[in-house]
Amino acid sequence: MERVRIALQKSGRLSEDSLSLLKNCGLHIDRSKDQLFCRVKELPIDILMIRDDDILGFVGSGICDLGIVGENVFAEKQESARIVERLGFSFCRLSIAVPESSTYQNLKDLDEKTIATSYPALLQKALLKQGVKAKILDMTGSVEVAPRLKIADAICDIVASGATLTANNLREIEVLLESEALLIRSSKKLCEEKEKTIQRLWNRMRGTLQATDSKYIMLHAEKARLPDIVRLLPGAESPTVLPLQGSEDEIAVHAVCREAVFWETLEKLEEAGASAILVLPIEKMMNCERKERKYERYFEPCSL
Ligand code: PRP
Ligand code: ZN
């Protein structure tokens, strides 16, 4: 049996969420220390744990069939891998940041200045787009110290929580790219066996990803209030309405909500006359039509 190879980040921003996604897909990955290669028992899949900067190359060259990589890395390196789907975790952004004490307000203010970055291609693109002539100082890491060392006026780097910027007295002035984890695949044609395994894994992944945002809501209400209540259920398509034993005008409403359910939503439901409101987590979903996600797409995903 041909085994599908998946490249994951060994340690860092993506690795924990990537592993837990695969776990939720029913794959057991025994990660003994320093082990870079794991054989999965449940499906014909092998996992390679490598540096995030290597994932794209491994998938692009066909050493691995699938990979989970940050959009920032994908956008920077022009490899011939294709995006299967955005995974909705490991959100971060590529931003321009300047010393707190400086007066720069945006990228245009950095004309003739020096910007340190590990993302020279993306920075170059942004500079060209805005017609800004700045010098790019290509650094492989520790970009945030460049302004303090007086080797650059600004940096272009990944920001997630913002803690690194704060710790280095830097201020974010412009976002160049919003990034999240991407599932990518090699552009090479794969054998039928591998395609089947990938399809199975992908169905499970979709089920897991859909379930993450979704909740099952159950409540009681007067029949007459039903339209108001249905309107308040976030992302619910067609709720199930059930009679309540021993009650003429009260009903039970059950619905799968495809969007986050906040306390505010429950308060509004209560105001609209709902009682006995229960919100239940959904572990897995199968064959449920998926709603288009809302954020703007930088790259179009390919179909499997
Ligand atoms: C990025 C970036 C910062 C940090 C920002 O590095 O270079 O160091 O993350 O995160 P924060 O806003 O939460 O502080 P990354 O973790 O991607 O490591 P790498 O550049 O070594 O791959
Ligand atoms: Zn990295």
Side-chain angles (χ1 to χ4, degrees), residues 9 13 52-53 72 119 140 144 157-165:
Q9 188 189 33
R13 190 191 309 289
D52 69 338
D53 308 84
N72 51 315
Y119 295 84
T140 44
E144 61 273 9
D157 198 15
I158 294 302
V159 182
S161 64
T164 304
L165 292 188

Side-chain angles (χ1 to χ4, degrees), residues 4 7 12 38 47 106-107 119 143 147 149 165 187 189 205 240 257 259 266 285:
V4 170
C38 320
I47 310 283
N106 49 43
L107 190 56
Y119 295 84
V143 170
L149 298 176
L165 292 188
S187 332
K189 195 171 159 35
M205 271 191 190
T240 309
C257 291
E259 286 158 33
L266 302 190
M285 285 174 122

Side-chain angles (χ1 to χ4, degrees), residues 47-172:
I47 310 283
L48 248 76
M49 307 292 295
I50 53 183
R51 286 182 48 230
D52 69 338
D53 308 84
D54 294 334
I55 295 173
L56 203 52
F58 271 55
V59 177
S61 63
I63 299 171
C64 289
D65 308 302
L66 294 178
I68 295 179
V69 72
E71 194 166 356
N72 51 315
V73 176
F74 186 87
E76 174 68 21
K77 311 215 165 118
Q78 304 291 321
E79 278 282 352
S80 63
R82 297 185 293 156
I83 300 178
V84 178
E85 188 55 284
R86 311 175 112 70
L87 296 175
F89 59 78
S90 299
F91 289 101
C92 63
R93 52 197 188 271
L94 181 69
S95 292
I96 302 288
V98 295
E100 290 279 10
S101 54
S102 73
T103 55
Y104 308 122
Q105 293 302 323
N106 49 43
L107 190 56
K108 288 212 164 76
D109 292 344
L110 294 170
D111 211 32
E112 308 294 335
K113 303 288 180 221
T114 301
I115 308 172
T117 190
S118 326
Y119 295 84
L122 288 172
L123 175 57
Q124 182 68 53
K125 236 191 219 170
L127 291 171
L128 279 174
K129 198 168 148 200
Q130 300 204 26
V132 179
K133 279 197 213 79
K135 192 172 161 244
I136 297 176
L137 177 65
D138 196 346
M139 291 175 73
T140 44
S142 310
V143 170
E144 61 273 9
V145 301
R148 207 184 323 150
L149 298 176
K150 305 270 184 258
I151 53 174
D153 304 286
I155 65 166
C156 166
D157 198 15
I158 294 302
V159 182
S161 64
T164 304
L165 292 188
T166 308
N168 290 280
N169 294 314
L170 296 168
R171 170 166 61 86
E172 191 176 3

Side-chain angles (χ1 to χ4, degrees), residues 12-299:
R13 190 191 309 289
L14 291 159
S15 57
E16 224 172 276
D17 286 340
S18 306
L19 283 171
S20 79
L21 173 62
L22 292 182
K23 246 180 229 151
N24 287 333
C25 292
L27 309 187
H28 284 88
I29 299 147
D30 288 323
R31 242 191 114 190
S32 45
K33 244 202 277 148
D34 298 327
Q35 200 188 331
L36 300 187
F37 188 86
C38 320
R39 244 176 130 78
V40 172
K41 285 192 216 91
E42 293 83 1
L43 287 176
I45 290 175
D46 293 328
I47 310 283
L48 248 76
M49 307 292 295
I50 53 183
R51 286 182 48 230
D52 69 338
D53 308 84
D54 294 334
I55 295 173
L56 203 52
F58 271 55
V59 177
S61 63
I63 299 171
C64 289
D65 308 302
L66 294 178
I68 295 179
V69 72
E71 194 166 356
N72 51 315
V73 176
F74 186 87
E76 174 68 21
K77 311 215 165 118
Q78 304 291 321
E79 278 282 352
S80 63
R82 297 185 293 156
I83 300 178
V84 178
E85 188 55 284
R86 311 175 112 70
L87 296 175
F89 59 78
S90 299
F91 289 101
C92 63
R93 52 197 188 271
L94 181 69
S95 292
I96 302 288
V98 295
E100 290 279 10
S101 54
S102 73
T103 55
Y104 308 122
Q105 293 302 323
N106 49 43
L107 190 56
K108 288 212 164 76
D109 292 344
L110 294 170
D111 211 32
E112 308 294 335
K113 303 288 180 221
T114 301
I115 308 172
T117 190
S118 326
Y119 295 84
L122 288 172
L123 175 57
Q124 182 68 53
K125 236 191 219 170
L127 291 171
L128 279 174
K129 198 168 148 200
Q130 300 204 26
V132 179
K133 279 197 213 79
K135 192 172 161 244
I136 297 176
L137 177 65
D138 196 346
M139 291 175 73
T140 44
S142 310
V143 170
E144 61 273 9
V145 301
R148 207 184 323 150
L149 298 176
K150 305 270 184 258
I151 53 174
D153 304 286
I155 65 166
C156 166
D157 198 15
I158 294 302
V159 182
S161 64
T164 304
L165 292 188
T166 308
N168 290 280
N169 294 314
L170 296 168
R171 170 166 61 86
E172 191 176 3
I173 55 168
E174 194 159 329
V175 178
L176 303 188
L177 174 80
E178 302 267 4
S179 169
E180 68 186 279
L182 302 175
L183 177 68
I184 55 165
R185 63 170 290 165
S186 139
S187 332
K188 293 218 169 111
K189 195 171 159 35
L190 303 177
C191 67
E192 217 173 292
E193 270 178 358
K194 280 191 180 184
E195 283 296 352
K196 258 195 195 147
T197 306
I198 290 178
Q199 192 60 57
R200 266 182 89 183
L201 177 66
W202 175 232
N203 281 340
R204 293 185 187 190
M205 271 191 190
R206 273 210 321 235
T208 309
L209 294 171
Q210 284 175 358
T212 316
D213 295 337
S214 302
K215 292 279 179 286
Y216 195 77
I217 294 196
M218 305 197 284
L219 55 84
H220 294 175
E222 269 174 45
K223 249 186 215 155
R225 310 297 295 270
L226 187 62
D228 292 339
I229 292 201
V230 170
R231 221 171 297 129
L232 288 171
L233 293 170
E237 266 124 60
S238 30
T240 309
V241 178
L242 304 160
L244 276 180
Q245 182 68 32
S247 170
E248 279 293 295
D249 44 62
E250 271 222 313
I251 44 160
V253 179
H254 291 192
V256 173
C257 291
R258 298 297 192 87
E259 286 158 33
V261 177
F262 300 106
W263 281 109
E264 288 75 10
T265 317
L266 302 190
E267 286 160 4
K268 280 189 197 141
L269 283 168
E270 197 184 18
E271 271 167 42
S275 61
I277 310 170
L278 298 181
V279 181
L280 282 66
I282 297 176
E283 198 184 66
K284 298 180 178 71
M285 285 174 122
M286 192 92 166
N287 220 348
C288 307
E289 197 116 319
R290 186 176 190 198
K291 285 208 336 189
E292 215 18 69
R293 298 226 222 148
K294 269 182 247 134
Y295 32 73
E296 205 179 307
R297 303 203 139 177
Y298 197 84
F299 301 101

